[in-house]
Amino acid sequence: MNAYPGLIISDVSDSTDMAAENVAEATMTTVDKNAASRASLLESIESPQDVRALPREMLPTLAQELRAFILDTVSHTGGHLSSNLGVIELTVALHYAFNTPDDRIIWDVGHQTYAHKALTGRRARLHTLRQKGGLSGFPSRAESEYDAFGTAHSSTSISAALGMAVAAQADGDPRRVVAVIGDGAMSGGMAFEALNNAGAMDANLLVILNDNEMSISRPVGAFHQYLTRILTSPLYNSVRESGKDFLAKVPPMKRFAKRMEEHTKGMLMPSTLFEEFGFFYVGPVDGHDVDTLVKTLVNMRDLKGPRLLHIVTEKGHGYAPAAQNPILYHGVACFDPEEGVVPKTAARPTYTEIFGQWLCDMGSADERLVAITPAMCEGSGLTDFAREFPQRYFDVGIAEQHAVTFAAGLACDGLKPVVAIYSTFLQRAYDQLVHDVVLQNLPVVFAIDRAGIVGADGPTHIGAFDLSFMRCLPHLTIMAPADEAECRAMLTTAFRMETPTAVRYPRGSGPGVTVPSTLETLPVGRGEIRRRAQGREGKKIALLVFGAPLAEALTAATTLDATVANMRFVKPLDTTLIEELASAHDELVTVEENVVMGGAGAAVAEFLAHTGIVKPILHLGLPDHFIEHGAPEALLSQYGLDAAGIVRQVQEWQARVARA
């Protein structure tokens, strides 16, 4: 086990009073909309070098102005709010204590980096946040040298930071490496794998555990800050270092002293777990006391080996509505900070809401149904089910791999698990999907939300690949609903099958089809004709549409005079329908909101080639590169998946075929 003699923090007798004063100054029940424009200190900051040039006593003022600026900006752009307000002081302290960008800071998940962006030369562009052509809502190596690692999925920071620390060691470079990880992300298995590896390697790595699940009462906070100062004081450090040689000569005494220290610290602070991993633990520290944070970070940065600083913060800190309801303010649309976020009811129910209602209805009809989410209860629409059936609802934390294998275990013994998961997060459990569910042919339903373009969250969250990575798996039935009613029917169909199934649906609302309250199924592997060509002059064309693009394809078909087939099933394909369409039409076009490579259209082409049917075929879908952030409507237009884009691409393709 790696242990240190302690850290050095200057004695500041008024640190508790300063912390209380800073919190009081930062707490805002209302916000001046023009605060950002008057933030003269913040306006002087063009880079972290400017932050480091400030007198330390000015940092609380900078944090206060930065908090007002972030709140004002996000109220206009939308985005992640509560998480960003919670790390303002930490962000200021990190850039003050470390020589960024030479020193590396890796932010886990990365949705809390708006203040980081503002201090690293991007303040003037923060109003473009999450908009097409604007700043990403997450760290991006392509965007700034200060973004040391691109993050948006959780629990990756310690692994990446360990890699950078080892690389620095190999290069003989004294640069420091810091990983900032939340207590939620720390629940991910990958974080513990990295902790285990880092402790064994004795790497020079600082992990900051941002614990925002609890608040610090003033007596507890003061005690822990006092304890931290004791453990890191020059006197404690000097005494313990100078005593090492003497104690080494008396092994029994050395072992006794070591055990006494470990037991004492174990009783006083939650350090034992991390120290068993080989980390030197310090904390908890008030994460909103910028002065104490700076002093602690300055004295931890040059120590060797793996260290962990435990800070406690409050999500939404400084803006009362967000602090009181951090879930509501996790991701917000534009709002008036004076009035706060007013939840809006969509004109049409979203696919997520359709799923949530179906889950409750099916749960009432079949007590074998159990629902699983990897920490996405609200986002995946499980709130009502969790309230109505708490004994059959399982939030396993940020642990997608565990979620899938846990579902497999439930299915082995007769339950019918439904895993509610975003397309982008299912990628993280691919081996478990293959090995633990599909290989064993277990009846697990995957309700895959956010399939296709997701908009402002960008390439890290786009659901562009699920059809491709699932289609190659034996036993797995894959469905793509074209509207709300079909989504409900497909979920019912999936649940009543005794093999693995997946229903993938997009973010947001559908075309507005009335959804029946009944639990009806669809014939497996059967599509339908939604429109037949009217027989105009020219070559007859058929559009084979998989899922959400159907509404736009039907609009495009009036211009193209095309037959439109709602294919419904990606696997198994309706091969009878494909043969019928190929026989009656001169040209075929497949349409899907998935990458073209390996997607549903590729499945159609494979079938045609296998049966010897030679027919001109065009595949419309997403291209072979990552889709940047922007409004979904703009992105669908850019990639030719709206009605006008479908018409344009088909006509251009027909012209090329005619010239060939």
Side-chain angles (χ1 to χ4, degrees):
M1 181 174 68
N2 183 28
Y4 285 105
L7 306 180
I8 304 171
I9 291 183
S10 301
D11 182 26
V12 183
S13 59
D14 62 345
S15 64
T16 302
D17 293 335
M18 288 180 62
E21 181 181 344
N22 293 344
V23 170
E25 289 179 353
T27 301
M28 301 173 287
T29 55
T30 59
V31 177
D32 186 338
K33 292 183 180 180
N34 298 314
S37 65
R38 297 202 307 270
S40 58
L41 181 58
L42 179 60
E43 288 176 348
S44 70
I45 303 300
E46 298 298 332
S47 74
Q49 286 85 348
D50 297 327
V51 176
R52 292 189 283 272
L54 293 174
R56 197 169 66 196
E57 58 268 21
M58 295 183 70
L59 298 184
T61 301
L62 176 61
Q64 182 181 359
E65 294 183 3
L66 187 56
R67 177 170 278 107
F69 174 72
I70 295 300
L71 178 58
D72 180 71
T73 299
V74 176
S75 73
H76 288 90
T77 64
H80 295 96
L81 184 60
S82 57
S83 56
N84 278 284
L85 295 179
V87 296
I88 299 294
E89 288 80 10
L90 175 61
T91 305
V92 171
L94 281 169
H95 284 295
Y96 191 85
F98 288 90
N99 184 34
T100 55
D102 291 337
D103 291 340
R104 314 289 201 249
I105 300 175
I106 298 93
W107 299 87
D108 210 286
V109 183
H111 62 313
Q112 76 279 45
T113 53
Y114 298 175
H116 162 77
K117 289 174 184 277
L119 295 180
T120 54
R122 290 168 278 182
R123 175 174 49 82
R125 294 188 62 216
L126 212 66
H127 68 281
T128 69
L129 192 69
R130 293 159 48 91
Q131 300 169 35
K132 194 170 185 292
L135 294 180
S136 169
F138 300 92
S140 169
R141 285 172 56 84
E143 186 178 287
S144 171
E145 63 178 338
Y146 290 93
D147 293 355
F149 193 75
T151 52
H153 290 185
S154 73
S155 313
T156 63
S157 62
I158 304 176
S159 296
L162 177 59
M164 294 179 187
V166 170
Q169 207 166 28
D171 293 342
D173 194 310
R175 64 179 179 267
R176 299 101 163 186
V177 183
V178 181
V180 182
I181 184 168
D183 54 310
M186 187 66 88
S187 71
M190 187 174 175
F192 281 90
E193 293 172 19
L195 286 173
N196 182 60
N197 193 202
M201 296 180 69
D202 200 33
N204 291 327
L205 170 67
L206 172 61
V207 174
I208 298 177
L209 172 59
N210 177 26
D211 182 352
N212 52 35
E213 282 295 313
M214 56 178 286
S215 59
I216 306 177
S217 62
R218 212 162 274 173
V220 174
F223 172 77
H224 280 297
Q225 289 183 10
Y226 170 76
L227 182 59
T228 299
R229 287 201 302 274
I230 292 296
L231 290 172
T232 60
S233 68
L235 177 61
Y236 183 84
N237 181 43
S238 175
V239 169
R240 190 171 171 197
E241 281 294 322
S242 61
K244 276 185 176 179
D245 289 340
F246 173 75
L247 291 173
K249 298 174 183 177
V250 190
M253 184 177 292
K254 179 181 179 182
R255 287 195 297 271
F256 174 76
K258 182 68 176 173
R259 285 198 303 271
M260 284 297 296
E261 178 197 28
E262 291 174 357
H263 286 300
T264 301
K265 290 175 69 178
M267 289 187 292
L268 295 176
M269 65 179 75
S271 62
T272 306
L273 172 64
F274 298 110
E275 293 194 340
E276 289 299 328
F277 272 113
F279 279 73
F280 175 58
Y281 172 97
V282 172
V285 170
D286 184 350
H288 299 299
D289 181 352
V290 68
D291 192 65
T292 296
L293 281 175
V294 166
K295 293 169 186 173
T296 305
L297 289 171
V298 164
N299 289 285
M300 290 189 79
R301 67 187 178 190
D302 293 323
L303 294 174
K304 304 301 181 183
R307 297 93 72 200
L308 187 140
L309 172 62
H310 180 183
I311 71 169
V312 180
T313 63
E314 176 189 45
K315 281 187 175 180
H317 185 77
Y319 179 54
Q324 293 163 7
N325 194 344
I327 293 176
L328 177 62
Y329 285 83
H330 171 72
V332 298
C334 300
F335 71 102
D336 184 345
E338 296 284 352
E339 298 181 2
V341 171
V342 179
K344 296 180 180 179
T345 302
R348 300 190 301 271
T350 64
Y351 280 101
T352 302
E353 290 168 341
I354 297 296
F355 165 71
Q357 184 59 58
W358 170 84
L359 194 66
C360 291
D361 293 345
M362 183 57 76
S364 296
D366 193 330
E367 64 182 13
R368 296 177 302 160
L369 186 151
V370 291
I372 303 165
T373 176
M376 295 300 295
C377 178
E378 292 79 16
S380 292
L382 277 72
T383 306
D384 291 342
F385 184 89
R387 182 176 56 253
E388 292 185 32
F389 306 100
Q391 301 305 314
R392 293 153 60 188
Y393 165 75
F394 302 97
D395 184 344
V396 301
I398 302 177
E400 294 87 357
Q401 293 172 306
H402 165 60
V404 173
T405 304
F406 174 56
L410 291 167
C412 281
D413 278 357
L415 296 180
K416 294 295 292 284
V418 178
V419 179
I421 191 167
Y422 289 8
S423 172
T424 184
F425 298 146
L426 182 58
Q427 297 165 186
R428 312 191 82 195
Y430 190 60
D431 178 64
Q432 287 69 29
L433 172 65
V434 176
H435 185 272
D436 299 336
V437 175
V438 176
L439 176 62
Q440 302 184 87
N441 204 19
L442 294 171
V444 177
V445 176
F446 292 92
I448 304 173
D449 203 337
R450 271 60 167 183
I453 286 175
V454 295
D457 282 338
T460 56
H461 283 66
I462 190 168
F465 312 108
D466 54 84
L467 291 185
S468 299
F469 70 66
M470 290 192 301
R471 193 174 66 79
C472 59
L473 301 180
H475 302 152
L476 183 62
T477 298
I478 307 169
M479 298 170 247
D483 57 47
E484 301 91 331
E486 206 164 72
C487 184
R488 182 178 172 93
M490 287 182 176
L491 288 164
T492 304
T493 303
F495 184 78
R496 289 184 172 157
M497 295 179 67
E498 294 301 324
T499 53
T501 53
V503 180
R504 57 105 69 177
Y505 44 90
R507 184 176 191 174
S509 300
V513 172
T514 300
V515 181
S517 59
T518 54
L519 294 168
E520 298 180 355
T521 61
L522 298 172
V524 176
R526 291 291 177 264
E528 62 173 359
I529 299 293
R530 284 287 188 98
R531 182 189 190 277
R532 291 193 181 275
Q534 301 302 307
R536 301 176 193 169
E537 292 185 5
K539 291 185 175 181
K540 293 181 67 176
I541 187 169
L543 306 181
L544 287 69
V545 187
F546 295 86
L550 182 68
E552 295 295 322
L554 286 168
T555 301
T558 60
T559 301
L560 297 169
D561 185 27
T563 295
V564 179
N566 174 24
M567 297 303 296
R568 287 180 169 165
F569 288 81
V570 177
K571 188 175 184 177
L573 283 172
D574 189 342
T575 55
T576 301
L577 180 57
I578 295 173
E579 287 184 305
E580 175 191 323
L581 294 169
S583 174
H585 297 79
D586 301 299
E587 298 166 334
L588 303 178
V589 177
T590 64
V591 187
E592 63 190 298
E593 200 171 321
N594 187 83
V595 289
V596 168
M597 296 185 71
V604 174
E606 290 165 9
F607 169 73
L608 293 174
H610 179 73
T611 55
I613 299 174
V614 178
K615 189 73 59 172
I617 184 169
L618 170 66
H619 301 304
L620 301 184
L622 298 175
D624 185 27
H625 61 75
F626 288 102
I627 310 299
E628 292 303 317
H629 52 277
E633 298 79 9
L635 294 172
L636 288 170
S637 175
Q638 178 180 345
Y639 294 106
L641 290 177
D642 60 353
I646 292 171
V647 170
R648 183 186 70 253
Q649 292 192 87
V650 168
Q651 290 177 340
E652 291 174 352
W653 172 69
Q654 286 178 320
R656 292 196 300 271
V657 171
R659 291 194 301 268

